[in-house]
Amino acid sequence: MEKKVGQFIAGGKSRSGLDRQQHDFYVTPKHSVQALIDHSIFKSLLHKIPFDKMWENAVGNGAILDTFEENGFDIVGTDLNDWVGRFEQNDFLKNPMWFYRKFGYKTPYIITNPPYKKANEWLVKSLRATGRYVILFLKLSFLESISRYKIFKMYPHLKYVLVFSKRQSPIHWSLIEKGEKLKSSSTTATAWFIWDIRYMGQPTIDWIGGE
C-alpha cells in the first residue's frame, strides 16, 4: 500500500487513523546516514578528536547504528523500547548519563534521530551528556519556534546544519510492522544538525546528498 510520507512525519492522523504520536518513531533511511558519513564536514570531526565509542541514544531498530558499524565505527545503542530485541533498554530522558555510568567517561559522539515531539529536551540532555558532539537527524523546521530559539541562545553550540538537497523519506515503525513500504517522496525537509560543545557562534549551513 502506498502512503504519503509527509502525512506521517508532519504529525496528526492519517486517513487510516494511525496516530503518529503513539510512539513518534520514524526509521531513518540508511542512505541518509551514509550521506552523513561520506560528508567532508563529518570526516573533519574525526580528525579533530580521536574516534571513540559512539552512542545512539534512541536507537530504534538500529538503522543508524548498523550503517555506522558497516563503516567500521564502534557504536552502542539504547532505546526506551526494545523494538527488535537487540539493544539495551534505557529511558534517556530519565537516565541521560547511562553511557557515563556504564563506560566511565562521556562519549564524544551522540548521534540519533530523536522523537521529534521530545527533541527539545533530547537536545539539551544530549548536550549535557556528550563529551564533544551531538548529531541529530531532524526536520529543517527545527530551526523555528520561540522555545527552540531560546535553547539556541542558551546553548550556542550549533556548528553545522547539513541540509538534504533531496527530500528524505523516514518511515513510521507501524508501517514496517505491517510490511508496508513508502513509495512516494516526503513533503518534509530534513537535515543533520551538528552541535560542538566547545564551539560558540553562528552555524554554518551546507548541503548533503542522499538518495
Side-chain angles (χ1 to χ4, degrees):
M1 180 185 299
E2 181 175 331
K3 295 182 181 293
K4 295 290 185 181
V5 180
Q7 70 187 27
F8 293 109
I9 196 170
K13 292 187 177 181
S14 72
R15 284 171 291 184
S16 65
L18 174 64
D19 186 354
R20 61 91 65 192
Q21 297 298 328
Q22 183 178 5
H23 294 301
D24 201 16
F25 172 24
Y26 297 88
V27 177
T28 311
K30 294 187 72 173
H31 57 74
S32 304
V33 185
Q34 189 64 52
L36 171 68
I37 294 171
D38 293 340
H39 199 282
S40 59
I41 285 178
F42 178 77
K43 291 179 178 179
S44 74
L45 306 184
L46 303 180
H47 291 297
K48 292 178 182 178
I49 180 170
F51 181 76
D52 208 328
K53 189 184 297 291
M54 284 181 164
W55 181 19
E56 190 185 357
N57 54 11
V59 72
N61 72 329
I64 293 177
L65 181 143
D66 289 345
T67 307
F68 271 93
E69 284 191 336
E70 289 164 6
N71 283 267
F73 291 91
D74 185 9
I75 182 169
V76 61
T78 59
D79 203 294
L80 173 63
N81 300 299
D82 187 8
W83 300 96
V84 292
R86 294 173 52 197
F87 307 109
E88 186 167 340
Q89 288 183 259
N90 178 61
D91 186 339
F92 174 71
L93 296 182
K94 293 182 179 179
N95 185 25
M97 300 307 294
W98 174 89
F99 188 100
Y100 181 81
R101 292 188 178 99
K102 186 173 182 68
F103 298 102
Y105 65 97
K106 288 185 176 182
T107 175
Y109 297 92
I110 288 178
I111 180 167
T112 199
N113 175 358
Y116 193 76
K117 64 182 178 180
K118 298 180 180 178
N120 289 8
E121 185 179 3
W122 210 278
L123 168 61
V124 170
K125 292 191 174 182
S126 292
L127 287 171
R128 295 171 180 170
T130 188
R132 185 68 186 268
Y133 298 106
V134 174
I135 305 173
L136 302 182
F137 182 80
L138 295 164
K139 300 177 190 177
L140 188 57
S141 60
F142 189 77
L143 292 170
E144 302 173 347
S145 88
I146 296 298
S147 63
R148 284 192 286 272
Y149 173 78
K150 292 178 179 178
I151 292 174
F152 291 141
K153 290 300 181 181
M154 185 176 296
Y155 301 93
H157 309 305
L158 179 59
K159 192 169 186 179
Y160 302 108
V161 180
L162 305 182
V163 183
F164 278 96
S165 54
K166 183 177 181 180
R167 298 287 172 88
Q168 303 300 287
S169 300
I171 179 172
H172 195 279
W173 178 249
S174 62
L175 299 183
I176 292 179
E177 288 185 312
K178 295 177 182 178
E180 299 178 8
K181 295 182 179 180
L182 297 176
K183 299 179 181 180
S184 57
S185 61
S186 175
T187 59
T188 304
T190 53
W192 283 105
F193 290 68
I194 302 175
W195 285 264
D196 179 350
I197 62 172
R198 298 185 186 177
Y199 174 78
M200 295 186 68
Q202 299 298 314
T204 296
I205 297 177
D206 202 352
W207 284 265
I208 188 170
E211 297 176 3

Coordinates of all heavy atoms in Angstrom, one line a residue, residues 30 56 59-67 69-70 75-79 81-89:
K30 N 18.8 4.4 5.6 CA 20.3 4.1 5.7 C 21.1 5.0 4.8 O 22.2 5.4 5.1 CB 20.6 2.7 5.5 CG 20.0 1.8 6.6 CD 20.4 0.3 6.4 CE 21.8 0.1 6.8 NZ 22.2 -1.3 6.8
E56 N 24.2 5.9 20.2 CA 22.9 6.3 19.7 C 21.9 6.1 20.7 O 21.5 4.9 21.1 CB 22.6 5.5 18.4 CG 21.3 6.1 17.8 CD 20.8 5.3 16.6 OE1 21.4 4.3 16.2 OE2 19.7 5.7 16.1
V59 N 17.9 4.4 19.6 CA 18.4 3.5 18.5 C 17.3 2.9 17.6 O 17.6 2.5 16.5 CB 19.4 2.4 19.1 CG1 18.6 1.4 19.9 CG2 20.2 1.8 18.0
G60 N 16.1 2.8 18.2 CA 15.0 2.2 17.4 C 15.3 0.8 16.9 O 15.7 -0.1 17.7
N61 N 15.3 0.6 15.6 CA 15.5 -0.7 15.0 C 17.0 -0.8 14.6 O 17.4 -1.9 14.0 CB 14.6 -1.0 13.8 CG 15.0 -0.1 12.6 OD1 15.5 1.0 12.7 ND2 14.7 -0.7 11.4
G62 N 17.8 0.2 14.8 CA 19.3 0.1 14.5 C 19.7 0.6 13.2 O 20.8 0.3 12.8
A63 N 18.9 1.3 12.4 CA 19.2 1.7 11.1 C 20.5 2.6 11.1 O 21.3 2.5 10.2 CB 18.0 2.5 10.4
I64 N 20.5 3.6 12.0 CA 21.7 4.4 12.1 C 22.9 3.7 12.6 O 24.0 3.7 12.0 CB 21.4 5.7 13.0 CG1 20.4 6.6 12.4 CG2 22.7 6.4 13.2 CD1 20.0 7.8 13.2
L65 N 22.7 2.9 13.7 CA 23.8 2.2 14.3 C 24.4 1.2 13.3 O 25.6 1.1 13.1 CB 23.3 1.5 15.5 CG 24.3 0.6 16.3 CD1 24.1 0.7 17.8 CD2 24.2 -0.9 15.9
D66 N 23.5 0.4 12.6 CA 24.0 -0.6 11.6 C 24.9 0.1 10.5 O 25.9 -0.5 10.1 CB 22.8 -1.3 11.0 CG 22.1 -2.2 12.0 OD1 22.7 -2.5 13.0 OD2 21.0 -2.7 11.7
T67 N 24.4 1.2 10.0 CA 25.2 1.9 9.0 C 26.6 2.3 9.5 O 27.6 2.2 8.7 CB 24.4 3.1 8.4 OG1 23.1 2.7 8.1 CG2 25.1 3.7 7.2
E69 N 28.2 0.9 11.9 CA 29.0 -0.3 12.1 C 29.5 -0.9 10.8 O 30.7 -1.4 10.7 CB 28.2 -1.4 12.8 CG 28.0 -1.2 14.3 CD 27.4 -2.3 15.0 OE1 26.7 -3.1 14.4 OE2 27.6 -2.4 16.3
E70 N 28.7 -0.8 9.8 CA 29.1 -1.3 8.4 C 30.3 -0.4 7.9 O 31.0 -0.9 7.0 CB 27.9 -1.2 7.5 CG 26.9 -2.2 7.8 CD 25.6 -1.9 7.1 OE1 25.5 -1.0 6.3 OE2 24.6 -2.6 7.4
I75 N 30.0 1.7 18.0 CA 28.8 2.4 18.4 C 27.9 1.5 19.2 O 27.8 0.3 18.9 CB 28.1 3.0 17.2 CG1 26.9 3.8 17.6 CG2 27.7 1.9 16.2 CD1 26.2 4.6 16.5
V76 N 27.3 2.1 20.3 CA 26.4 1.4 21.1 C 25.1 2.0 21.1 O 25.0 3.3 20.9 CB 27.0 1.3 22.6 CG1 27.1 2.7 23.2 CG2 26.1 0.4 23.5
G77 N 24.0 1.2 21.2 CA 22.7 1.8 21.1 C 21.8 1.4 22.2 O 21.8 0.3 22.8
T78 N 20.9 2.4 22.6 CA 19.9 2.2 23.7 C 18.6 2.8 23.2 O 18.6 3.7 22.3 CB 20.3 2.8 25.0 OG1 20.5 4.2 24.8 CG2 21.6 2.2 25.6
D79 N 17.5 2.3 23.8 CA 16.2 2.9 23.5 C 15.2 2.6 24.6 O 15.4 1.7 25.4 CB 15.7 2.3 22.2 CG 14.6 3.2 21.5 OD1 13.6 3.4 22.1 OD2 14.9 3.7 20.4
N81 N 12.2 1.6 24.2 CA 11.6 0.3 23.9 C 12.6 -0.6 23.1 O 13.3 -0.1 22.3 CB 10.4 0.6 22.9 CG 9.3 1.4 23.6 OD1 8.8 1.1 24.7 ND2 9.1 2.6 23.1
D82 N 12.5 -1.8 23.4 CA 13.4 -2.8 22.7 C 12.6 -3.3 21.4 O 12.0 -4.3 21.4 CB 13.7 -4.0 23.6 CG 14.7 -4.9 22.9 OD1 15.3 -4.5 21.9 OD2 15.0 -6.0 23.5
W83 N 12.7 -2.4 20.4 CA 11.9 -2.7 19.2 C 12.2 -4.0 18.5 O 11.3 -4.6 17.9 CB 12.0 -1.5 18.2 CG 11.7 -0.2 18.8 CD1 12.5 0.8 19.3 CD2 10.4 0.4 18.9 NE1 11.8 1.9 19.8 CE2 10.5 1.7 19.5 CE3 9.1 -0.1 18.5 CZ2 9.4 2.5 19.7 CZ3 8.0 0.8 18.7 CH2 8.2 2.0 19.3
V84 N 13.5 -4.3 18.5 CA 13.9 -5.5 17.7 C 14.6 -6.6 18.5 O 15.2 -7.5 17.9 CB 14.7 -5.1 16.5 CG1 13.9 -4.3 15.5 CG2 15.9 -4.2 16.9
G85 N 14.7 -6.4 19.8 CA 15.3 -7.4 20.6 C 16.8 -7.4 20.5 O 17.5 -8.5 20.8
R86 N 17.5 -6.3 20.2 CA 18.9 -6.3 20.0 C 19.7 -5.3 21.0 O 20.9 -5.5 21.1 CB 19.2 -5.8 18.6 CG 18.8 -6.8 17.5 CD 19.0 -6.2 16.1 NE 20.4 -5.7 16.0 CZ 20.7 -4.8 15.0 NH1 19.8 -4.3 14.2 NH2 22.0 -4.4 14.9
F87 N 19.0 -4.4 21.6 CA 19.6 -3.3 22.3 C 19.2 -3.2 23.7 O 18.1 -3.6 24.1 CB 19.4 -2.0 21.5 CG 19.8 -2.0 20.1 CD1 18.8 -2.0 19.1 CD2 21.1 -2.1 19.7 CE1 19.1 -2.1 17.8 CE2 21.4 -2.2 18.3 CZ 20.4 -2.2 17.4
E88 N 20.0 -2.6 24.5 CA 19.7 -2.4 25.9 C 18.7 -1.3 26.1 O 18.7 -0.2 25.4 CB 21.0 -2.0 26.7 CG 20.8 -1.9 28.2 CD 22.0 -1.9 29.0 OE1 23.1 -2.3 28.4 OE2 22.0 -1.4 30.2
Q89 N 17.7 -1.5 26.9 CA 16.7 -0.5 27.2 C 17.1 0.5 28.1 O 17.7 0.2 29.2 CB 15.4 -1.2 27.7 CG 14.7 -2.0 26.6 CD 13.4 -2.6 27.2 OE1 13.3 -3.8 27.5 NE2 12.3 -1.8 27.2

